[in-house]
Amino acid sequence: MRVVVAKSASAAASMVADLVEGFIGTSPSPALGLATGETMEPVFAELVRRHREQALSFAGVRAYLLDEYLGLDRGDRRAYRTVVDRLLAGHVDFEAGAVRGPNPHATDLDAECARYERAVREASIGLQLLGIGSNGHIAFNEPGSPLDSTTRVVTLSEATRTDNARFFGSGQPVPAEAITQGLATIAAAGELLLLACGRHKAGAVARAVEGPVTTEVPASALQLHPKVTVVLDPPASTGLTRPERATGS
Ligand code: GLP
């Protein structure tokens, strides 16, 4: 695992954009795993900027979302598919149908999870972007998620619903359930790239990077993967007890 502490949150986002651009530029048939959340917003903005100003092209790139809320209306602006369209896909040159996610409106959700799991495995994700929840979740794999979990319907923890309440209006509850790729689905990607920014992520980052591999900290499963880069801003690195292991940007 390579841990990089960038000089700032914007430098960290820029570094992640560099790695995405490098992946797209060197892979003959790039399959990119997309994460959502506030952490990814500056990464998407930087990728859009590079598309506009530096001709970074997403033609030929297939992209797969990690997770999706259940129970929102079609087109709800909080749905992750809508977020990705609004902040990234709607501004760059993905081909029609190239951005995919689990369908939260399917009548048979178990069948939909199995279908999406197959689609992601067949795509063979080359680079998977990840954020981390303050409780150590990745995608919507909450504490207790098995290491061999695959795409499934999950119940969100109260901690995650509280964290994500800022995206929802007062009086509008955060959905209680979601579809998420499992820890085994994520681990099948060729390379994992986790971005975390802010002091509120420092505890989860330290437990994921330095703590024991445990299902109580789903992100600690990254330690088992052969190719992982963790990019942090300085506040997110403050929980590391062996910061000398990390490199600067
Ligand atoms: C959300 C998403 C995760 C994301 C994480 C962090 O619940 N399901 O994929 O990485 O929480 O979100 P944020 O970047 O908004 O802190």
Side-chain angles (χ1 to χ4, degrees):
M1 178 185 287
R2 184 166 75 110
V3 181
V4 183
V5 183
K7 289 189 175 60
S8 64
S10 66
S14 192
M15 182 177 300
V16 170
D18 288 346
L19 294 168
V20 171
E21 183 169 358
F23 168 68
I24 290 173
T26 53
S27 175
S29 176
L32 175 66
L34 292 175
T36 39
E38 193 175 346
T39 311
M40 289 298 144
E41 293 180 9
V43 175
F44 291 167
E46 177 62 9
L47 292 172
V48 170
R49 188 192 70 75
R50 292 182 191 196
H51 170 70
R52 288 185 175 148
E53 297 176 13
Q54 298 166 9
L56 170 63
S57 177
F58 291 80
V61 178
R62 289 160 299 141
Y64 291 81
L65 274 62
L66 274 176
D67 49 10
E68 185 58 272
Y69 287 115
L70 288 175
L72 298 178
D73 291 338
R74 281 176 204 280
D76 188 295
R77 66 185 175 79
R78 282 75 49 100
Y80 286 157
R81 178 53 204 252
T82 314
V83 169
V84 164
D85 285 347
R86 185 172 67 245
L87 300 182
L88 178 65
H91 306 282
V92 300
D93 59 344
F94 280 113
E95 286 152 17
V99 180
R100 296 173 194 175
N103 175 11
H105 306 292
T107 46
D108 183 342
L109 288 173
D110 287 341
E112 173 59 13
C113 290
R115 182 202 68 77
Y116 193 63
E117 177 75 20
R118 272 196 310 277
V120 171
R121 298 293 185 127
E122 281 168 23
S124 189
I125 305 292
L127 178 66
Q128 176 65 60
L129 300 182
L130 294 167
I132 185 171
S134 61
N135 65 354
H137 75 238
I138 49 174
F140 272 136
N141 292 283
E142 298 281 27
S145 296
L147 292 175
D148 63 356
S149 53
T150 56
T151 303
R152 67 205 186 285
V153 172
V154 291
T155 300
L156 302 184
S157 70
E158 275 312 307
T160 294
R161 294 182 76 205
T162 301
D163 281 353
N164 289 3
R166 68 193 192 282
F167 297 110
F168 291 78
S170 58
Q172 276 185 296
V174 178
E177 292 185 314
I179 295 177
T180 185
Q181 289 186 30
L183 293 175
T185 326
I186 293 167
E191 181 172 2
L192 306 179
L193 174 53
L194 185 142
L195 173 63
C197 294
R199 180 71 188 81
H200 60 301
K201 297 293 176 73
V205 166
R207 288 187 292 148
V209 171
E210 295 183 344
V213 175
T214 165
T215 56
E216 287 311 303
V217 183
S220 67
L222 269 57
Q223 295 179 35
L224 303 174
H225 193 282
K227 198 162 184 203
V228 181
T229 303
V230 174
V231 179
L232 306 172
D233 72 348
S237 74
T238 51
L240 298 176
T241 59
R242 297 186 295 277
E244 67 281 1
R245 262 197 58 205
T247 55
S249 57

